[in-house]
């Protein structure tokens, strides 16, 4: 059985930040969040990351989170895509973008989406360090945020 590795919200393709805004004339606020691979974590030098996921389930969960955001706020636009595979320093791991008539809704929805994706969606991150060791990330405990 062939497995589809490309999903709308989960991809192994390198993520690029777009310079184009969604063409929504009533959108007064647009928020773009990009999670970028950094060179240090908990005081240890990082060389690269690898992300793994149960892609089909992860995609379905991200869809549900975005739908929840549309129910909570009057959004004009919302999307999230998370990268899988090996990522080097400076590469984009996740993009969340939201748009609404008012900026406050766009900001709140964006934070809501990224927090839920990082805490709930089955995407696992393995960090590789300059000393040759590696370990699975323990998650985003310090990033918890009330919704």
């Amino acid at each position: 059985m062939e497995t589809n590795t490309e999903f709308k919200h989960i991809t192994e393709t390198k993520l690029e930040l777009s310079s184009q805004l969604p063409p929504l004339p009533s959108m007064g606020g647009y928020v773009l969040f990009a999670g970028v691979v950094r060179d240090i974590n908990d005081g240890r030098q990082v060389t690269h990351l690898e992300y793994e996921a149960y892609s089909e389930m992860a995609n379905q969960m991200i869809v549900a989170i975005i739908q929840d955001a549309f129910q909570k706020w009057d959004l004009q636009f919302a999307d999230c895509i998370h990268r899988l595979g090996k990522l080097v320093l400076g590469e984009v791991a996740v993009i969340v973008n939201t748009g609404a008539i008012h900026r406050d809704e766009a900001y709140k929805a964006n934070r809501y989406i990224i927090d839920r994706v990082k805490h709930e969606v089955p995407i696992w991150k393995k960090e590789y360090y300059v000393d040759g060791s590696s370990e699975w990330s323990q998650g985003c405990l310090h990033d918890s945020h009330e919704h």
Side-chain angles (χ1 to χ4, degrees):
M1 180 170 101
E2 186 176 56
T3 304
N4 182 1
T5 59
E6 290 293 319
F7 292 86
K8 182 175 182 196
H9 300 284
I10 299 293
T11 185
E12 292 180 12
T13 304
K14 184 175 181 176
L15 298 178
E16 301 287 344
L17 297 178
S18 172
S19 62
Q20 302 297 315
L21 293 176
L24 300 167
S26 61
M27 186 175 68
Y30 177 78
V31 176
L32 170 72
F33 169 79
V36 179
V37 178
R38 63 183 181 265
D39 66 353
I40 194 163
N41 186 43
D42 291 333
R44 297 178 70 189
Q45 289 296 125
V46 174
T47 60
H48 67 283
L49 304 178
E50 285 189 25
Y51 284 96
E52 295 181 12
Y54 175 33
S55 296
E56 188 173 348
M57 179 186 284
N59 189 69
Q60 291 171 359
M61 291 177 75
I62 291 172
V63 168
I65 290 167
I66 292 170
Q67 289 171 344
D68 288 349
F70 272 100
Q71 294 297 314
K72 290 177 76 72
W73 293 280
D74 187 18
L75 297 176
Q76 305 292 305
F77 180 84
D79 196 19
C80 173
I81 187 163
H82 202 295
R83 172 92 184 275
L84 300 181
K86 180 180 177 180
L87 282 77
V88 298
L89 302 178
E91 284 193 292
V92 178
V94 60
I95 296 171
V96 179
N97 46 2
T98 51
I101 293 172
H102 302 288
R103 68 179 176 268
D104 189 51
E105 290 179 308
Y107 274 111
K108 287 178 180 175
N110 197 288
R111 180 66 187 252
Y112 174 84
I113 292 168
I114 190 59
D115 283 353
R116 286 199 54 199
V117 167
K118 292 309 243 179
H119 290 98
E120 299 173 24
V121 179
I123 300 171
W124 302 279
K125 176 173 73 172
K126 190 170 190 178
E127 295 178 309
Y128 291 83
Y129 303 103
V130 295
D131 65 8
S133 66
S134 64
E135 63 184 45
W136 291 100
S137 173
Q138 297 300 308
C140 302
L141 300 177
H142 60 281
D143 286 343
S144 63
H145 181 71
E146 292 297 317
H147 306 295

